[in-house]
Amino acid sequence: MVARYFMLNIVNNLKICRVASTKYLGLYIDDRLSFKDHIDSLCNNLIMYTGIFHRLRISLPRHMLMQLYYSLIYSRISYGIEVYGVAPATDLKRIQVIRVDRRHSTNVLHTELGLLKISDIHIYKICVFIYKYVNNAVPSVFSDIVNSGKPLPIVNNTRSSSLFTVTRHNNKHGKLLMNNYCYKIWNQLPNDITSCKSFSSFKDKLKSHLIAK
């Protein structure tokens, strides 16, 4: 991207150019946190792979189609979606309805094979992260990030899972902070999911819940 606006001074007089967008660990981050550039790149990438998928779906058995979907399509959509999944719904919808030809869209994959849609993949990945945090299975650096949202005391014996205090924010970016957005998603899950002792059982129940809703 072409540098714009101004130079930023940082430690030891080192200067960096401000740019409209930059790629970091495979994720395009723009100066407005809209993630439009990342979604543009992802859509361009997916067109090729969904095209391959649709050409093969006629001749391959279901289990092989599932393997292809998770290796070629799901892996690319799910990477970093905890971050870019807060993009405007209109932009995320572009991923959901990529046109391979005039007859098919990615939505067909979810309808026929019972797979998670884009918005549900985002929720799924966030809930998996929070589950790991609740069960002390995340690196300390991540634990420090979410530590501001203290689990609420259990006041209802029928509700044995951990709930989080949600901080109120008036602006758009504040509402998307970890101690608001992610906690609200977790708090809305049924107790039989959040109280799962087994990680594999948690993932299975969560996926079924998201597909069924």
Side-chain angles (χ1 to χ4, degrees):
M1 291 290 181
V2 178
R4 70 183 189 185
Y5 300 131
F6 53 81
M7 304 291 290
L8 295 177
N9 292 310
I10 60 174
V11 180
N12 297 324
N13 295 317
L14 179 65
K15 294 181 178 181
I16 58 173
C17 293
R18 176 169 177 171
V19 295
S21 177
T22 187
K23 188 177 184 180
Y24 181 70
L25 297 178
L27 189 70
Y28 287 96
I29 304 174
D30 61 272
D31 58 355
R32 294 178 175 82
L33 295 180
S34 69
F35 298 101
K36 184 178 183 300
D37 290 335
H38 182 76
I39 292 174
D40 287 343
S41 175
L42 178 60
C43 287
N44 290 335
N45 190 265
L46 288 178
I47 287 174
M48 176 178 64
Y49 290 105
T50 52
I52 294 172
F53 187 93
H54 278 298
R55 286 193 292 272
L56 294 175
R57 63 197 287 267
I58 300 175
S59 56
L60 293 180
R62 182 189 179 103
H63 73 279
M64 293 188 68
L65 289 174
M66 294 290 283
Q67 291 177 356
L68 283 174
Y69 171 79
Y70 279 106
S71 63
L72 298 179
I73 301 174
Y74 181 86
S75 61
R76 287 168 172 80
I77 292 175
S78 63
Y79 180 78
I81 198 170
E82 300 94 331
V83 178
Y84 82 81
V86 299
T90 52
D91 288 331
L92 294 175
K93 187 177 179 180
R94 291 167 49 209
I95 305 173
Q96 184 69 37
V97 296
I98 290 175
R99 296 292 174 179
V100 180
D101 55 40
R102 293 185 178 180
R103 297 168 298 169
H104 301 297
S105 71
T106 52
N107 198 45
V108 176
L109 309 180
H110 309 289
T111 301
E112 293 185 357
L113 301 179
L115 302 172
L116 295 174
K117 294 184 178 181
I118 305 303
S119 58
D120 292 331
I121 294 175
H122 175 54
I123 294 174
Y124 176 86
K125 296 283 282 188
I126 285 178
C127 291
V128 166
F129 173 78
I130 296 297
Y131 178 89
K132 290 181 178 180
Y133 165 69
V134 170
N135 290 277
N136 300 312
V138 297
S140 58
V141 62
F142 293 110
S143 182
D144 292 341
I145 291 174
V146 298
N147 196 40
S148 58
K150 306 294 186 181
L152 290 173
I154 302 303
V155 295
N156 184 347
N157 292 331
T158 63
R159 178 77 169 171
S160 59
S161 61
S162 295
L163 295 179
F164 290 89
T165 303
V166 177
T167 305
R168 292 185 178 182
H169 296 277
N170 295 324
N171 59 68
K172 172 185 174 182
H173 294 298
K175 292 178 180 179
L176 295 179
L177 290 174
M178 175 68 76
N179 60 357
N180 184 288
Y181 181 73
C182 297
Y183 298 155
K184 287 178 66 176
I185 290 176
W186 176 266
N187 289 350
Q188 291 170 0
L189 290 179
N191 181 57
D192 66 312
I193 296 178
T194 58
S195 62
C196 283
K197 301 301 182 182
S198 164
F199 184 45
S200 60
S201 177
F202 168 79
K203 291 191 295 183
D204 289 342
K205 288 186 177 182
L206 175 60
K207 182 177 179 180
S208 297
H209 168 73
L210 292 174
I211 290 176
K213 72 180 181 63

